[in-house]
Amino acid sequence: MRDSRHFVSLRTYALAFAVVLSPALFQTSYSCERGDTYLTQLELEADGINQIVGFNPETRSYDVSTNSPTAILRTVSRDPGSTVTYQWMAGGTSIESGMIGVGGGDVTLNVPVGHPTLSVSVRAPEGGFDRYAVNVASRD
């Protein structure tokens, strides 16, 4: 006949081991998602079409062209509490800036003449910060 005391001891150790590891694994997976400020959507609609085709949140710079004096910028952040803003730059100088919204949103922009850069910035509540650049070849 088997000694049941060894079987009970083995089950007790296994349970204690699982209880100790579970909180650590949960905290690790949770902390990986905190402060993640990447955009999940970045579109610049001008001339009736989406100028940014194949948006990838890992790609930080895009080149587009438009003849339209206005464009619609659409953004969505992965963290719904992140603040998304835009800024037009030309020759290293800021022309205009504004807020798109918390979590992203739509904003209608006046497209500067020439070759401006549209900077889209995302700031997470925890302080994380990311920036995307859209280089625009526009009407002269």
Side-chain angles (χ1 to χ4, degrees):
M1 177 178 242
R2 266 194 196 173
D3 186 353
S4 62
R5 286 177 298 159
H6 288 72
F7 182 68
V8 170
S9 296
L10 182 61
R11 287 184 59 193
T12 303
Y13 289 132
L15 180 60
F17 185 69
V19 169
V20 169
L21 283 184
S22 296
L25 293 174
F26 174 76
Q27 289 172 358
T28 302
S29 62
Y30 182 71
S31 65
C32 290
E33 296 178 27
R34 299 295 291 171
D36 187 356
T37 62
Y38 291 125
L39 292 178
T40 59
Q41 182 180 9
L42 174 60
E43 296 180 5
L44 183 69
E45 184 181 314
D47 303 311
I49 59 171
N50 178 7
Q51 296 286 336
I52 301 174
V53 179
F55 170 69
N56 178 349
E58 300 295 328
T59 303
R60 297 309 176 97
S61 184
Y62 296 87
D63 297 314
V64 302
S65 63
T66 179
N67 291 317
S68 177
T70 61
I72 298 171
L73 178 62
R74 290 188 178 93
T75 59
V76 176
S77 66
R78 188 170 293 166
D79 180 346
S82 295
T83 303
V84 185
T85 58
Y86 75 90
Q87 182 178 40
W88 280 112
M89 303 288 294
T93 304
S94 175
I95 302 171
E96 176 189 343
S97 62
M99 183 166 165
I100 300 170
V102 175
D106 293 7
V107 63
T108 300
L109 304 174
N110 294 316
V111 182
V113 175
H115 300 280
T117 297
L118 177 61
S119 176
V120 178
S121 300
V122 190
R123 186 174 300 278
E126 298 83 13
F129 182 79
D130 284 328
R131 178 175 287 147
Y132 297 82
V134 181
N135 303 304
V136 181
S138 64
R139 66 203 186 290
D140 290 324

